[in-house]
Structures are given as C-alpha cells and as structure tokens.
C-alpha cells in the first residue's frame, strides 16, 4: 500500500469515526425515545392496574371503593371508557391468563395467547412489568404491548393488565424525527469535509514522495546520476537534498570499488573453492572456500604443491584427506590455462558434497528401512524375496521360505500403556527375532505389529525349527516401562517360494497362513495350504453378508423358556438370535457370533436382539411370562452409551425395566471389576436386572461374586450334565444354588435335558431351570407349540401365548 492510500485510509478512518459517532447518537436518541414511551405506557398501565385492583376513587366523601377486578360489568365499562377517551386497547386477565375484560367483548373468557414469549406468565409469576410485540393477522403492523401485574392490598398478584401503547410510541418517535435528520445532515457534511481535505493533502504529499521514490529506485538499479532537486523548507525537501548528496557519494564510491575490487570480490565470495595453479603446479591463488574445504586455510594453500593437496585425474569426484585426519567428499573441475599452445597453469574449482552424499545415503536407507526398528521395510523385503526366488529357480536345489508374523495382544498393550510403550515393545520384538534367527536371514517389519522373515537355504525341518524359535523368543514376557507385558505371535509359513509367480503372491499366502494360525488359537504357526485361501475368501464373504444381515432383515429372534419349578409354569424367556442366511439357510449362533465378535458387528446385532426382545416381551406379558433375558457381549461394555441404548429400547417398546434381564458371561464380568461394576450399577439404576451367565466356567472368586452388582446366577450346563448318579457333583451344584440364595440371587439351572435332572434340581432347592427337556429354542410364533410338547406335561403354557 503506497503513502497516498495510507493517508486516504487515515482520513477515511476519521470519516468512518464521525459516521460511527453519528450512528451511536442516533441509536441513543431512538433508545431514549423508546424507553420514554415504555415508561409512560407502564405508568398508565400501573394506574389502570391500581384502579382494577383497588377500585375507582369514591365520588362522595364517606363512600368506599370496590375493586373492579371482581366486578366484570364495572370492569368492562371502565375499560370501554378508557378505550373511547384514549383510543387504547386494554386487556385484563386473571392468574390463568383468562381474559376478564377486553375492548373486544367477544374475547372475554378466552385465554390470552398473543404473548409468544410468555411475558404475561412471567409478569404474573414474578410481579415485574414487561413489554412485548403482538403480531396479529387483524393488524397491519405489530402492536406494542406493556403488561403490569394486578396486585391486591396484600401484594398478591391476581392477574395482569395488558396495555397497547403503539400510538404513544409512534407519536414520540415522530417528535424526534427532526433531531435525527439534523444529526444525519451534520454527520454527512463532516464526513464530506474530512474526505475532501484528506484527498487534497494526500495528493500534495504523494506527488513529492513519488518523485523521491522513483529516484531511489533508479539508484537501486545502479544508476547514480538521478537527482530529485525538491524545493521547499519542510522535512520532505530536506530529505530530498540529503538524498542528492548521498547519490553523489555513492556514485564516486561505486566507481572506485568497481575499478579496484570487482574481480577479487567475486572470487573471494564464491561458494565453491577456487585455486589458481601455475605451470610448476604451485598454488598461487586460493579463496576462503578453498581454505575451508581443504582444512588448510588460504595461507596454508598459497605456495603449496597442488599435486600433493588437490585432487588430480579425470574423475569429477573424490575424497580429500584433511590435515586433522578427517575426510571430505568433493566434486571438482580442472580447467587448463594455455597461451599459444603453452600451458600457463590451471584453475581448480572444488565443491564440498559431503552433506549431500550423506543425505542421499540416509534417504536411500529411510526408503528401504523401518524408521522405528531399523529393519528392512516391505519394499526392501519384497526386493530381496524376488532375488531369492530368482536364485532358487536357477539353483533348483536351493530352498527358501517366508514367515509372516503378527503379534497377538499388541493392541491391548498399546491401548493400555500408550504408544511409547508399544514402540518399545516393537523394538524389543525386532531384537529378539534377529537374535533367534541366522545372521544371513532377512527380518523385516511390514507395518504395525506385522513382521516377515526370509529364510534362504532352509529345508522344511529348518524352517519349522526357526519358526518355533521365533515363537519361543516372543512368548517370553516383555519389560515395558517397568511393567511386564505378555504377548504371543501367530506365524504363517510359505515354503518353496521358487514355485510362485512373484513376491507379492508369496507374502499374501503367508498372510493367509498367519490368519489360519490365529484361527487355531494364536501363539502357533501354520504352513500354507491352498484350502486356506479358499477359507479366507469364504470368511470374507461371510463377513460381508453378515454386515448387511441386520439392515436386510435376515436376523431372527428365537426364545427358550425358563420354567418356575414350583408351579411348572413359564416364568420368563431367554432371547437368542439366528441368522437366516440367503445362501446357507438358518445359521446357529456358533456359525456367525464368533465372526461378529471379531469384526465388531456383535454390537449392532446385540442392539437388534435387545430391541426385538423387548418388543416381543410386551406381547408375552399378556399371556403370563414376566421377564425376558438378553445376552450382552464383551464389546457392549465398551460402548459409552450402552445405558442410553437400553433405556431407549425400554421407552420405545413400553417394556417395564424390571421385566428385562441382561446376561453377561462370567469371563466378561471379571475382565475389569471396577469398570464393569460401575457400568452394571448404571444399568441397574434403570430398573433392569443383571445375570451372570455360564457361572462356573470362568475364573471369578466367590469374593467377587459378593461384590459384583448382579441379580441372577445362571449355573452352566456343564454342572448339570451327568448330575444324576454323581453324588459329588450333586453336592457341588447344591452348594452353588444355596450360595446364590444366600446372596439374594435368583438361580437358574441351564441345560436340563432329563426328568431325573429336573427332580434333583428341585430337591436341591432350585427355583428356575431351562433346557431342551423344558423347551427348545424357537421362533416366538411357534413357542406355544414347542413348549406344549414337553413330556409328562411338566410345563404349563397358556394356549393363547404367542
């Protein structure tokens, strides 16, 4: 921005300030007028309120005045007189906003609803006057209203008076129009004068500064002959005379410098080292850069033998040894100087490329190695694998294999101890792998917690032995930030890599084998087979179809009855899920629940089961059963809004909270006692009950059973199998049942399949049981038929139950 624009900007800013000041004055005038109108209207309204509450002054001495508030006729007459005299609309309402009197008689008895912001209610509540604008289809413009309370002798608010003061407001605003117009006119004149004055002054100053600026630009370009010759006695004129004097001096100095030091300055300040050598190979000239590069300095180079110090030969790059023992990599050029065919000497130009070459080496290393562990990365590993495959094909007898390793449990360490701890674990993993393998084996980090190993000259027995060595090395506890961390590793093996088309195919098959090892239980190795690839594709296909199962309506709700053994009636049901796979038919939970848990889809499936079970339970309650239990997976405890989801399902379906039981396995409950207990308490505060499922199969202690907030204990079917004829097992089950009753828990025995088991459980004091003997799981619309076929009529189910 030039000087003229800055000056104009300053004056425009002053003009804007004048405009802002005028706007503030106008706003203040309007505000004052508006406040005056409100105050006047409020005073009138308060007078009317006083007449309504206390009555009109008596016309004769000795007469008493009666409140108009309780006299509808007198109140209507009073408001009508005011309307005729002052042409104002006045409304009187009671505490419930019912209109007691209005200039429009038809509105009497109706509820006043024109205060969109609830101002009348607020005034009746706190006794403070308020104003609001009434927008009505009957009026061409908004009506300004003031509302004041009607207060009796005891300062009790009986209602409110609503007074329309639009006419008063308009009169006051009209009275101040002339003052506002005068303020606007004065402001415009001031702004015009300021802008005009600014334009004149800016043009004068800019013209002289422009002349000086152009002269400076000319001198900057190397022409010292330009002069400004400004006239006057002000600062700008003095600056012009000083500039002319400075230009004269610069002109003289430039001529001297160019005549004497031009060539030397160029050579001395060159970034490259430059040395002049005479015909006898003695150094006769050297600049600062040459002295710095060689480490001898300018004085050390002058007169020295060039052949002993400077590089020679046809090459363009070499290593130069310095006197202090260090070496520097230099690129150089040697230009011979001749005259009439005779060699007069040469010019040697040196350039230090040490940092450039080191940077290139670092970049090559970074491009091919992992920055965290220093191991080869995926690109370098694939390159070495391609070369190994080529050598193996050429040698025919050579054997090579690839291991694909993935750490089991690394995410848990990384999430619980932090990324720094995860990085430390990965570095230690790399060190252990290198130590466990042969010196010529290639260990690479592919990314995340995945590693790969290239084994050359290794027969099948050696490959498996080295894979086991990797397992043993990584199964040892890791010390991370002062804590012991235990992880394992799953390994996929592809032997005979020479038979594959490219390295990517080998690595992909090793990855498939690694996933097969994970599927077998982790912490082991698997050798690739063709069927594994097909199984992986099948798994990916199942996962894709399962992701759409909820949205396509392919999930089915099945239920199994829970029987009250004292009455032999159905007390409740356990909700179970089935998948109606379009390609494979009805799938049992074991066929898709593990996949859903592994991929995270279990949360969405559990939400669907919860909602459908609650909706079905509302219908069941009409037939007798009082509750339904729904299984929750471990992933649900990590969902932040689990409690809100349960509350939403209950509210949407209308199911009473005490009719819902949420089942969690013993292992899930024991995972993190503090977090689990807090989440269960939130659920129980909703009114739902919590059950421990498969009790006895986990690792909880009886002390934890006392502290965990649960309501129902479900004894695992493994305790019920073989119960008949096994006294020790009967004593154990009886003890568990009594323990549950002692802790105030409902006990449900699972897996009842015979009448003998049922009778033993009843003799032990068991109250509830479920199993195939009492009713197989089935769709809700078939449940009545399924349970009615229980042998010996052990279960009573209402005929109309559905």
């Amino acid at each position: 921005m030039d000087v003229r624009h800055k000056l104009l900007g300053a004056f425009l800013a002053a003009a804007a300030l004048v405009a802002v000041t005028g706007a503030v004055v106008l706003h203040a005038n309007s505000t004052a007028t508006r406040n005056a109108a409100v105050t006047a209207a409020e005073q009138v309204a308060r007078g009317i309120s006083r007449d309504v509450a206390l009555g009109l002054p008596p016309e004769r001495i000795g007469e008493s005045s009666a409140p108009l508030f309780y006299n509808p006729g007198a109140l209507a007459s009073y408001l009508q007189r005011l309307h005729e005299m002052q042409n104002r609309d006045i409304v009187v309402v009671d505490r419930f906003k019912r209109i007691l009197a209005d200039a429009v008689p038809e509105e009497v008895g109706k509820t006043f609803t024109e205060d969109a912001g609830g101002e009348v209610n607020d005034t009746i509540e706190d006794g403070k006057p308020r104003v609001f604008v009434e927008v009505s289809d009957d009026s061409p413009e908004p009506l300004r209203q003031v509302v004041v309370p009607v207060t009796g002798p005891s300062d009790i608010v009986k209602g409110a008076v609503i007074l329309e003061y639009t006419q008063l407001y308009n009169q006051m605003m009209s009275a101040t129009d002339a003052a506002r117009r005068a303020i606007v006119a004065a402001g415009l004149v001031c702004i015009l004068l300021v802008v005009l004055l600014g334009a004149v002054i800016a043009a004068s100053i800019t013209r002289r500064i422009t002349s000086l600026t152009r002269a400076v630009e000319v001198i900057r370009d190397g022409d010292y002959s330009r002069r400004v010759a400004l006239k006057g006695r002000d600062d700008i004129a003095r600056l012009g005379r000083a500039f002319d004097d400075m230009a004269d001096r610069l002109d003289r100095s430039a001529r001297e410098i160019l005549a004497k030091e031009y060539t030397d300055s160029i050579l001395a300040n060159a970034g490259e080292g430059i040395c002049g050598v005479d015909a006898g190979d003695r150094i006769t000239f050297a600049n600062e850069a040459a002295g710095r590069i060689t480490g001898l300095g300018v004085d050390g180079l002058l007169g020295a033998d060039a052949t002993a110090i400077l590089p020679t030969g046809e090459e363009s790059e070499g290593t130069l040894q310095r006197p202090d023992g260090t070496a520097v990599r230099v690129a150089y050029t040697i230009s011979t100087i001749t005259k009439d065919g005779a060699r007069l000497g040469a010019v040697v130009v040196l350039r230090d490329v040490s940092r450039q070459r080191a940077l290139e080496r670092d970049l090559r290393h970074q491009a091919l190695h992992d920055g965290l562990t220093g191991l080869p990365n995926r690109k370098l590993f694939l390159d070495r694998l391609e070369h190994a495959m080529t050598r193996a094909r050429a040698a025919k007898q050579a054997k090579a294999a690839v291991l694909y390793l993935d750490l089991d449990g690394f995410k848990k360490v990384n999430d619980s101890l932090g990324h720094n701890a995860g990085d430390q674990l990965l570095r230690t993993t790399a060190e252990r792998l290198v130590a466990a393998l042969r010196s010529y084996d290639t260990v690479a980090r592919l990314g995340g917690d995945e590693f790969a190993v290239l084994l050359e000259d290794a027969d099948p027995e050696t490959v498996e032995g080295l894979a086991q060595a990797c397992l043993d090395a990584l199964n040892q506890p890791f010390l991370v930030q002062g804590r012991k961390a235990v992880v394992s590793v799953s390994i996929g093996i592809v032997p005979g890599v020479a038979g594959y088309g490219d390295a990517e195919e080998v690595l992909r098959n090793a990855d498939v084998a690694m996933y097969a090892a994970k599927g077998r239980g982790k912490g082991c190795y698997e050798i690739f087979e063709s069927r594994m690839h097909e199984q992986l594709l099948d798994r990916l296909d199942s996962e894709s179809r399962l992701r759409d199962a909820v949205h396509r309506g392919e999930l089915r709700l099945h239920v199994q009855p829970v029987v009250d053994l004292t009455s032999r009636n159905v007390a409740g049901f356990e909700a179970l899920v089935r998948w109606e796979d379009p390609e494979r038919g009805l799938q049992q939970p074991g066929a898709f629940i593990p996949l859903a848990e592994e991929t995270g889809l279990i949360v969405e499936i559990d939400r669907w089961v919860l909602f459908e079970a609650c909706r079905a339970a509302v219908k069941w309650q009409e037939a007798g059963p009082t509750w339904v239990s729904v299984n929750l997976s471990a992933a649900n405890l990590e969902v932040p809004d689990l409690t809100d989801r349960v509350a939403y399902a209950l509210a949407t379906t209308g199911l009473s909270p005490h009719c819902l039981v949420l089942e969690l396995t013993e292992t899930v409950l024991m995972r993190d006692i503090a977090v689990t207990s807090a989440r269960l308490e939130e659920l129980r505060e909703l009114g739902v009950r919590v059950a421990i499922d498969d009790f006895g199969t986990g690792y909880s202690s009886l002390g934890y059973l006392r502290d965990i907030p649960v309501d129902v204990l479900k004894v695992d079917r493994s305790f019920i199998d073989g119960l008949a004829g096994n006294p020790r097992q009967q004593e154990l089950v009886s003890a568990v049942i009594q323990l549950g009753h002692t802790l105030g828990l409902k006990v449900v025995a699972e897996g009842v399949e015979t009448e003998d088991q049922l009778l033993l459980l009843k003799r032990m004091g068991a109250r509830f049981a479920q199993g195939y003997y009492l009713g197989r799981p089935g769709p809700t619309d078939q449940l009545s038929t399924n349970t009615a076929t229980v042998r010996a009529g052990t279960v009573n189910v209402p005929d109309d139950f559905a």
Side-chain angles (χ1 to χ4, degrees), residues 311-630:
T312 59
E314 299 298 328
E315 296 182 2
S316 61
E317 188 172 314
T319 302
L320 193 66
Q321 296 294 329
R322 288 173 169 170
D324 60 1
T326 61
V328 61
R329 191 72 178 172
V330 294
Y332 60 89
T333 58
I334 302 175
S335 303
T336 303
I337 302 174
T338 61
K339 184 178 182 181
D340 298 332
R343 179 178 179 276
L344 300 180
V347 176
V348 181
V349 180
L350 307 173
R351 184 163 57 92
D352 185 354
V353 294
S354 301
R355 295 183 61 184
Q356 179 180 342
R357 297 297 176 259
L359 180 60
E360 291 173 355
R361 287 194 300 272
D362 290 343
L363 290 176
R364 284 195 297 270
H365 186 273
Q366 292 175 16
L368 299 174
H369 290 78
D370 174 49
L372 178 64
T373 62
L375 296 176
N377 61 11
R378 185 185 189 92
K379 182 177 181 181
L380 181 56
F381 182 82
L382 290 173
D383 180 71
R384 291 186 180 179
L385 178 55
E386 288 283 4
H387 285 84
M389 293 169 67
T390 302
R391 288 191 297 270
R393 294 190 194 103
K396 295 185 179 180
Q397 297 297 325
K399 299 181 182 297
V402 167
L403 309 183
Y404 198 110
L405 302 88
D406 184 89
L407 298 181
D408 307 319
F410 172 76
K411 185 178 184 301
K412 183 177 180 181
V413 174
N414 205 41
D415 293 344
S416 59
L417 299 182
H419 292 289
N420 290 336
D423 291 346
Q424 182 182 346
L425 190 146
L426 290 174
R427 285 192 290 269
T428 306
T429 298
E431 294 169 359
R432 291 188 182 183
L433 288 175
V434 171
L437 297 168
R438 301 170 300 181
S439 59
Y440 52 86
D441 293 329
T442 297
V443 182
R445 181 183 176 218
L446 303 180
D449 60 346
E450 296 181 342
F451 295 83
V453 177
L454 172 60
L455 304 175
E456 296 189 71
D457 298 327
D459 55 31
E461 184 178 351
T462 302
V463 171
E464 293 193 38
L466 291 174
Q468 186 60 48
C470 293
L471 288 173
D472 296 339
L474 299 184
N475 281 337
Q476 299 300 317
F478 290 78
L479 187 62
V480 180
Q481 295 182 350
R483 297 172 177 267
K484 280 189 176 182
V486 178
V487 299
S488 60
V489 64
S490 297
I491 304 177
I493 303 175
V494 174
V497 298
Y500 289 89
D502 56 41
E504 287 285 358
E505 182 182 2
V506 174
L507 203 59
R508 182 171 59 250
N509 290 343
D511 188 19
V512 171
M514 181 272 293
Y515 274 106
K518 282 185 176 292
R520 207 182 78 177
K522 302 180 181 179
C524 61
Y525 65 80
E526 281 286 340
I527 300 175
F528 176 77
E529 298 177 3
S530 299
R531 61 174 178 81
M532 293 180 179
H533 190 64
E534 298 173 359
Q535 291 172 350
L536 178 62
L537 293 178
D538 181 68
R539 182 182 182 279
L540 292 175
D541 178 63
S542 297
E543 179 181 340
S544 176
R545 288 184 287 105
L546 183 57
R547 286 186 181 278
D548 298 328
V550 177
H551 307 293
R552 291 197 301 233
E554 296 174 1
L555 298 183
R556 301 290 181 263
L557 182 68
H558 284 208
V559 291
Q560 184 178 29
V562 178
V563 175
D564 185 341
L565 299 183
T566 58
S567 62
R568 294 297 182 95
N569 289 327
V570 175
F573 292 90
E574 179 178 358
L576 304 168
V577 64
R578 302 291 187 266
W579 176 22
E580 189 68 47
D581 189 345
E583 297 184 8
R584 302 178 181 178
L586 188 66
Q587 299 293 301
Q588 297 297 317
F592 65 91
I593 291 298
L595 178 61
E597 290 177 338
E598 183 177 342
T599 58
L601 296 174
I602 190 64
V603 175
E604 190 68 23
I605 292 175
D606 282 353
R607 176 191 286 187
W608 180 88
V609 174
L610 174 65
F611 188 88
E612 293 298 321
C614 290
R615 187 168 61 178
V618 173
K619 300 178 181 179
W620 299 343
Q621 289 178 340
E622 301 173 359
T626 59
W627 47 266
V628 62
S629 63
V630 178

Side-chain angles (χ1 to χ4, degrees), residues 80-93:
Q80 186 63 32
R81 287 199 307 273
L82 291 178
H83 179 71
E84 293 173 356
M85 294 171 59
Q86 302 178 8
N87 193 25
R88 288 187 177 131
D89 289 339
I90 305 169
V91 181
V92 179
V93 299

